[in-house]
């Protein structure tokens, strides 16, 4: 506690007064309390408002004015200069620190990437996650549609599709049944059959002919799981052992349209119903909205993985994010397997040991 | 013995007046320095970790909440002195009512005590210029606490410089649901169209007549044909033609039809639901009229939003998860967050500038 006191600049006497409202075992009056905090208070509002204008005015022109005023002005100006200098110093120190931290993290992630690599083999991925006690049932990722190539080599539609395929393969290997891919522009929604085709091809390189079955869908669009992939376990030939049953992966494509705009659409529909007398506004509750959005868009994901260096949601459907675990790797850039793996470890609250 | 001696020496040193004075000056300097860069307009805090802090330090849970309140006071001072306009704090979730009755009662008592104390110092609050607002389900709060809340809110209502939003039984889904409800209510109450239109010197039938005329002249042939066809199909009903013309114009500019969905018959007329936008919903949220959320900080290492500000932080908000527990949170933890935010902001601005100049260059080339 005492160590904390030093950093706050509050005396023990004051902190007791603050906590208990008493000094030396005696209740404080309103007046006494006010006296106590007086020296930490900011200036009167009228005075503080013209501080900036004061500092910006050049000093020379003020010479003919009275001395009294100048004396009053001086500390403000010196303080202002001091603030600017300190801000420059602090910003510089931190920018050096941030850069160092970024390179440190980069090196660390490279090391992890060497130690943990999937080698396009589901068995490797399964071994990596074997010890995890819980896995998400619904995994979600936020991807970017990069217009220009930045040094990840995942620019344009092809790069995006490539990322989706890889993530889908890792998800399938980990045994997670549902993957939702959020991408702001929703460009992939126009290419659902092609997406299905390339994911299937990628799954084939991972699993060989015994690849999991796949369906790709997007809200308001039909699910795409062509008859090429044999029908799911409903087929009658179940005479083999139960392991013959192939797992199924559903990939859900989301875009910014499925976020706030869908909420607006729902409101519009509800409004129309209310106008026609089919609905009372009292009947609208969070269960109703939740049920509607669950059917129309998606369920709440258990884990959201970001591959961006910072956490910004870029328009991800707000309603669905209520209790979702949000994972990001600070300063990470681009999709990579070790970020995916670390997200799963974080979700299972497991320690990831370097060098197994 | 050695370590005990050391810690005693340190505690004596750290509570000696010159050290405390120095630290306070340093804080003021850093806050003043921070003000020189861009400052987030709206910051939200999830005050997580009071209970774990209490458990770790072997003190009562309630005492942990008390320390958490102190941390809040410190951080509010930092925020308002650096120039943050709106601070939103997650004080109490609707879900928290499920906690032990003892804890809930203690929290409520604390809220009441602190708010009452706050109300005694009206003049001091004016110096900060902050007005308190309570976001959430008022019906769930005990009446005596509610009274203290209302007093504090009324006392600070006139302050304009800054806002403190206290999310007091709040969940974001509840907020969104209420916003949807309000919107539906607003759009499903009939508008008294007769009174409104009589005040203005324009007649709507006259305007639609003009629009129809214009469309017959300017619209490409097939559109004119369909219009003619609809007329021939039901030549007598001018009402239907009216509505079809209205539908056409609403595609180009909703303003004509939406404001007053004129209906010649006696049926009540409503606002057009198609004019509902995200702004409509945003304006019905509890944070209506406030600057967009720039920064959301959650302490105690939990990386979840936990039903807080879902609608508000969905796009550009920087979300920061910190490992420290809330009672430990202070300027020293907040400073790196703010500096990093300033740094990112600077980088974003540079990026925008380069992309804009590139756009201009590409335009010149073409």
């Amino acid at each position: 506690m005492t160590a904390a006191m030093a950093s706050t600049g509050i005396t023990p006497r004051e902190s007791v007064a603050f906590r208990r409202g008493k000094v030396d075992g005696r209740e404080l009056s309103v007046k006494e309390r006010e006296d106590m905090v007086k020296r930490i208070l900011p200036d009167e509002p009228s005075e503080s408002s013209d501080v900036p204008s004061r500092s910006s005015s050049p000093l020379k022109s003020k010479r003919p004015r009275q001395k009294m005023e100048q004396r009053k002005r001086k500390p403000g100006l010196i303080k202002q200069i001091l603030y600017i200098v300190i801000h420059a110093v602090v910003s510089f120190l931190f920018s050096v620190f941030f850069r160092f931290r970024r390179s440190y993290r980069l090196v660390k992630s490279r090391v992890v990437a060497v130690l943990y690599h999937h080698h396009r083999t589901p068995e490797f991925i399964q071994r990596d996650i074997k010890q995890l006690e819980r896995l998400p049932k619904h995994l979600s990722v936020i991807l970017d549609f990069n217009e220009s190539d930045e040094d990840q080599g995942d620019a344009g539609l092809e790069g995006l599709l490539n990322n989706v395929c890889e993530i889908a393969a890792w998800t399938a290997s980990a045994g997670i049944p549902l993957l939702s891919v959020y991408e702001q522009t929703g460009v992939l929604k126009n290419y659902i059959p092609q997406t299905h085709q390339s994911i299937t091809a990628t799954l084939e390189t991972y699993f060989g002919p015994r690849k999991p079955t796949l369906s790709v869908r997007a809200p308001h669009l039909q699910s795409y799981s062509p008859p090429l992939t044999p029908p799911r376990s409903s087929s009658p030939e179940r005479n083999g052992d139960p392991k013959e049953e192939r797992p199924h992966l559903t990939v859900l494509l989301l875009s910014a349209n499925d976020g706030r705009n869908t909420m607006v659409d729902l409101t519009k529909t509800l409004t129309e119903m209310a106008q026609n007398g089919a609905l009372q506004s009292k009947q609208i509750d969070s269960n109703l909205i939740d049920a509607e959005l669950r059917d129309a868009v998606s369920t709440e994901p258990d884990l959201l993985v970001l591959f961006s260096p910072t956490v910004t949601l870029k328009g991800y459907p707000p309603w669905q994010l209520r209790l979702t675990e949000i994972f990001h790797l600070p300063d990470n850039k681009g999709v990579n397997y070790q970020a995916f793996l670390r997200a799963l470890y974080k979700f299972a609250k497991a320690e990831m040991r370097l060098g197994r | 013995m050695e370590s005990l001696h050391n810690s005693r020496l340190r505690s004596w040193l750290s509570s000696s007046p010159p050290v405390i004075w120095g630290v306070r000056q340093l804080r003021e300097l850093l806050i003043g320095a921070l003000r020189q860069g861009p400052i987030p307009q709206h910051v939200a805090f999830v005050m997580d970790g009071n209970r774990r802090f209490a458990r770790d330090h072997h003190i009562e849970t309630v005492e942990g909440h008390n320390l958490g309140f102190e941390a809040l006071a410190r951080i509010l001072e930092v925020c308002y002195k650096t120039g943050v306009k709106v601070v939103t704090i997650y004080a109490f979730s609707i879900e928290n009512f499920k906690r032990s009755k003892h804890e809930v009662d203690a929290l409520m008592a604390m809220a009441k005590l602190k708010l009452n104390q706050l109300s005694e110092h009206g003049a001091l609050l004016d110096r900060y210029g902050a007005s308190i607002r309570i976001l959430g389900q008022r019906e769930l709060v005990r009446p005596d606490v509610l009274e203290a809340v209302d007093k504090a809110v009324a006392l600070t209502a006139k302050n304009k410089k800054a806002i403190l939003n206290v999310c007091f039984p709040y969940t974001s889904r509840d907020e969104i649901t209420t916003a949807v409800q309000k919107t539906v209510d607003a759009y499903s109450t009939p508008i008294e169209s007769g009174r409104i239109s009589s005040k203005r010197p324009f007649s709507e039938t006259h305007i639609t007549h003009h629009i129809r005329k214009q469309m017959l002249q300017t619209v490409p042939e097939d559109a004119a044909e369909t219009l003619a066809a609809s007329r021939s199909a039901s030549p007598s009903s001018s009402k239907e033609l009216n509505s079809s013309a209205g539908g056409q114009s609403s595609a180009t500019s909703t303003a004509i039809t939406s404001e007053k969905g004129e209906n010649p018959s006696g049926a009540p007329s409503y606002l057009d639901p198609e004019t509902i936008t995200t702004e409509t919903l945003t304006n019905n949220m509890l944070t209506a009229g406030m600057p967009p959320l720039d920064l959301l900080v959650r302490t105690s290492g939990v990386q979840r939003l936990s039903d807080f500000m879902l609608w508000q932080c969905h796009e550009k908000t920087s979300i920061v998860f910190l490992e420290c527990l809330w009672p430990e949170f202070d300027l020293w933890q907040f400073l790196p967050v703010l500096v990093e935010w300033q740094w990112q902001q600077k980088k974003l601005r540079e990026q925008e500038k380069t992309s804009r100049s590139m756009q201009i260059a590409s335009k010149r080339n073409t």
Side-chain angles (χ1 to χ4, degrees):
Chain A
M1 219 69 81
T2 45
M5 227 175 272
S7 61
T8 53
I10 294 170
T11 60
R13 203 173 117 95
E14 282 170 335
S15 74
V16 168
F18 187 77
R19 250 166 242 168
R20 309 252 176 272
K22 286 177 188 170
V23 165
D24 308 330
R26 173 177 70 79
E27 290 276 335
L28 282 170
S29 71
V30 173
K31 177 81 176 50
E32 279 172 318
R33 268 188 245 150
E34 292 199 355
D35 287 342
M36 218 163 183
V37 290
K38 209 147 248 172
R39 52 204 177 91
I40 354 177
L41 282 179
D43 300 334
E44 295 281 353
S46 55
E47 238 183 76
S48 66
S49 61
D50 50 30
V51 162
S53 65
R54 215 189 273 158
S55 62
S56 59
S57 56
L59 247 180
K60 275 181 187 169
S61 62
K62 291 286 192 290
R63 207 166 257 173
R65 295 239 178 128
Q66 291 168 352
K67 244 187 176 177
M68 264 279 284
E69 220 180 20
Q70 222 178 38
R71 206 189 296 157
K72 216 179 144 193
R73 189 172 298 126
K74 231 178 171 181
L77 191 78
I78 289 173
K79 240 182 189 169
Q80 196 68 22
I81 292 170
L82 196 59
Y83 285 155
I84 292 171
V85 170
I86 292 177
H87 181 249
V89 171
V90 168
S91 312
F92 172 74
L93 288 179
F94 268 102
S95 79
V96 170
F97 169 65
F98 291 148
R99 274 166 221 275
F100 265 105
R101 195 179 57 180
R102 190 167 63 189
S103 0
Y104 167 73
R105 282 169 175 164
L106 208 73
V107 169
K108 193 181 164 194
S109 69
R110 286 280 148 79
V111 171
V112 177
V114 169
L115 288 176
Y116 291 86
H117 195 264
H118 50 79
H119 301 291
R120 293 188 163 251
T121 330
E123 283 76 26
F124 274 93
I125 297 175
Q126 275 153 21
R127 201 184 65 197
D128 285 341
I129 62 155
K130 189 178 60 195
Q131 65 193 55
L132 301 184
E133 277 167 13
R134 79 185 182 134
L135 281 175
K137 297 225 163 36
H138 177 180
L139 178 76
S140 193
V141 292
I142 297 184
L143 296 181
D144 286 324
F145 178 59
N146 298 326
E147 297 259 352
S148 60
D149 206 359
E150 264 172 34
D151 66 289
Q152 266 90 250
D154 60 352
L157 191 60
E158 204 176 323
L160 177 66
L161 194 56
N162 203 20
N163 284 337
V164 173
C165 291
E166 286 295 312
I167 295 169
W170 303 333
T171 312
S173 305
I176 298 165
L178 176 56
L179 169 73
S180 53
V181 178
Y182 175 84
E183 191 276 314
Q184 201 162 14
T185 60
V187 64
L188 274 183
K189 285 183 178 184
N190 304 326
Y191 303 97
I192 288 181
Q194 286 90 331
T195 308
H196 189 279
Q197 215 171 25
S198 5
I199 297 179
T200 314
T202 312
L203 285 178
E204 188 128 18
T205 65
Y206 273 77
F207 288 85
R210 305 196 34 73
K211 59 183 186 297
T213 52
L214 172 75
S215 61
V216 179
R217 67 185 180 91
H220 318 301
L221 295 170
Q222 272 221 307
S223 167
Y224 188 82
S225 42
L228 271 173
T229 53
R232 254 192 288 167
S233 53
S234 56
S235 57
E237 332 128 38
R238 273 184 113 193
N239 41 12
D241 61 323
K243 276 190 179 169
E244 283 292 297
E245 220 173 279
R246 287 200 263 164
H248 184 76
L249 175 71
T250 308
V251 177
L252 179 63
L253 302 174
L254 298 174
S255 72
N257 237 344
D258 302 312
R260 280 189 172 186
N261 287 342
T262 301
M263 289 290 308
V264 170
D265 285 343
L266 177 63
T267 314
K268 281 179 188 169
T269 315
L270 289 171
T271 306
E272 259 168 25
M273 283 172 74
Q275 287 181 355
N276 298 330
L279 178 108
Q280 298 269 306
S281 71
K282 284 191 206 90
Q283 288 173 300
I284 301 169
D285 61 355
S286 56
N287 288 335
L288 175 75
I289 296 179
D290 191 41
E292 283 301 316
L293 288 179
R294 192 186 294 263
D295 293 345
V297 183
S298 96
T299 52
E300 254 182 74
D302 299 313
L303 173 64
L304 175 69
V305 183
L306 307 180
F307 294 101
S308 54
T310 54
V311 188
T312 44
L313 295 173
K314 296 173 184 163
Y316 195 92
W319 183 269
Q320 280 82 356
L321 273 185
R322 184 174 59 141
L323 298 175
T324 303
E325 194 92 26
I326 300 169
F327 178 86
H328 86 293
L329 212 51
D331 287 331
N332 178 58
K333 253 187 160 184
V335 174
N336 55 64
Y337 174 64
Q338 52 109 3
F340 175 84
L341 197 61
R342 278 158 89 163
L344 292 183
Y345 270 74
K346 183 83 204 293
F347 183 78
K349 298 197 173 64
E351 192 89 4
M352 194 160 169
R353 279 177 304 129
L354 294 183
R356 302 182 217 218
Chain B
M1 279 310 280
E2 181 62 33
S3 66
L4 190 71
H5 182 73
N6 264 349
S7 79
R8 224 176 252 165
L9 189 73
R10 209 169 48 214
S11 84
W12 175 80
L13 200 68
S14 67
S15 60
S16 65
V19 171
I20 283 179
W21 182 85
V23 168
R24 188 166 290 156
Q25 292 304 310
L26 182 64
R27 284 171 75 97
E28 292 292 324
L29 268 182
L30 285 174
I31 290 171
L34 271 177
R35 224 174 25 219
Q36 306 310 313
I39 285 293
Q41 294 291 292
H42 187 171
V43 183
F45 293 102
V46 181
M47 307 187 290
D48 199 4
N50 290 343
R51 298 201 294 171
R52 212 201 308 165
F53 184 84
R55 217 181 308 136
D56 291 352
H57 288 77
H58 307 291
I59 52 175
E60 261 197 84
T61 317
V62 178
E63 198 60 19
H65 287 305
N66 260 319
L67 290 171
F69 182 81
E70 278 172 42
L72 171 65
R74 289 196 300 264
I75 217 66
L76 283 182
E77 192 194 345
V78 174
C79 284
Y80 291 133
K81 279 187 177 167
T82 45
V84 175
K85 288 277 175 315
V86 184
V87 176
T88 305
I89 55 165
Y90 202 4
F92 200 80
S93 156
I94 294 176
E95 302 293 316
N96 287 357
F97 278 114
K98 289 176 188 159
R99 289 183 186 174
S100 76
K101 189 174 181 304
H102 173 70
E103 197 189 336
V104 171
D105 283 349
L107 272 171
M108 288 291 165
M110 191 176 95
K112 192 178 146 189
L113 177 76
K114 299 295 179 194
L115 284 167
N116 276 332
Q117 276 185 2
L118 209 68
S119 308
E120 286 169 5
H121 306 289
L124 292 192
L125 282 176
D126 292 348
R127 288 234 196 149
Y128 283 93
S131 66
I132 299 176
R133 296 188 196 174
I134 305 287
L135 316 184
Q137 286 262 347
R138 294 171 53 93
E139 305 86 70
L140 297 173
V141 186
R142 268 173 16 202
D144 58 322
V145 181
L146 207 57
E147 198 185 313
V149 165
D150 285 339
K151 213 162 94 189
V153 170
L155 191 72
T156 57
K158 59 184 184 303
N159 291 334
K160 289 283 175 294
K161 227 168 91 187
I163 299 172
L164 170 64
N165 288 321
V166 182
C167 297
F168 195 37
Y170 169 96
T171 59
S172 193
R173 282 195 169 181
D174 178 70
E175 180 192 19
I176 296 174
T177 310
T178 314
V180 171
Q181 237 173 29
K182 272 195 211 159
T183 313
V184 170
D185 267 339
Y187 277 74
S188 61
T189 39
I191 32 174
E192 299 157 52
S193 48
R195 202 171 49 84
I196 296 167
S197 58
S198 70
K199 270 187 182 169
R200 304 199 185 113
F202 298 104
S203 122
E204 296 201 9
T205 42
H206 199 241
I207 292 169
T208 37
H209 180 74
H210 266 275
I211 291 170
R212 205 184 314 153
K213 224 168 151 189
Q214 255 177 22
M215 272 166 53
L216 281 173
Q217 285 166 359
T218 58
V219 159
E221 276 182 20
D222 52 341
E225 252 171 294
T226 54
L227 208 77
S230 81
R231 185 189 281 161
S232 65
S234 56
S236 59
S237 74
S238 67
K239 193 173 140 195
E240 194 178 301
L241 227 153
N242 230 344
S243 66
S244 88
Q248 287 268 10
S249 67
S250 82
T252 49
S253 70
T254 45
I256 301 173
T257 47
S258 65
E259 288 304 314
K260 29 202 167 345
E262 191 65 8
N263 212 337
S265 64
S269 54
Y270 298 111
L271 293 165
D272 185 3
E274 288 307 311
T275 57
I276 297 175
T277 58
T278 47
E279 279 74 46
T280 321
L281 281 178
T282 304
N283 291 335
N284 278 318
M285 293 289 157
L286 296 169
T287 53
M290 292 173 197
L293 191 58
D294 290 319
L295 184 62
L296 190 148
V297 179
R298 173 157 197 170
T299 51
S300 94
V302 178
Q303 308 203 334
R304 252 178 272 153
L305 294 177
S306 295
D307 222 339
F308 181 59
M309 296 279 122
L310 297 179
W311 182 265
Q312 288 82 355
C313 76
H314 86 126
E315 199 175 1
K316 287 181 183 151
T317 310
S318 307
I319 301 170
V320 179
F321 299 109
L322 296 175
E323 284 300 323
C324 75
L325 302 175
W326 178 258
E328 300 162 347
F329 193 56
D330 195 9
L331 177 66
W332 314 113
Q333 282 79 29
F334 193 40
L335 182 80
V337 174
L338 273 179
V339 175
E340 192 166 7
W341 187 85
Q342 290 184 342
W343 197 57
Q344 281 166 8
Q345 221 57 21
K346 211 171 80 185
K347 271 174 48 180
L348 268 181
R349 218 166 288 164
E350 275 166 17
Q351 259 175 26
E352 267 170 32
K353 218 177 265 173
T354 50
S355 72
R356 206 176 301 148
S357 61
M358 268 167 71
Q359 268 176 7
I360 291 169
S362 67
K363 256 180 208 164
R364 252 182 224 149
N365 287 340
T366 51

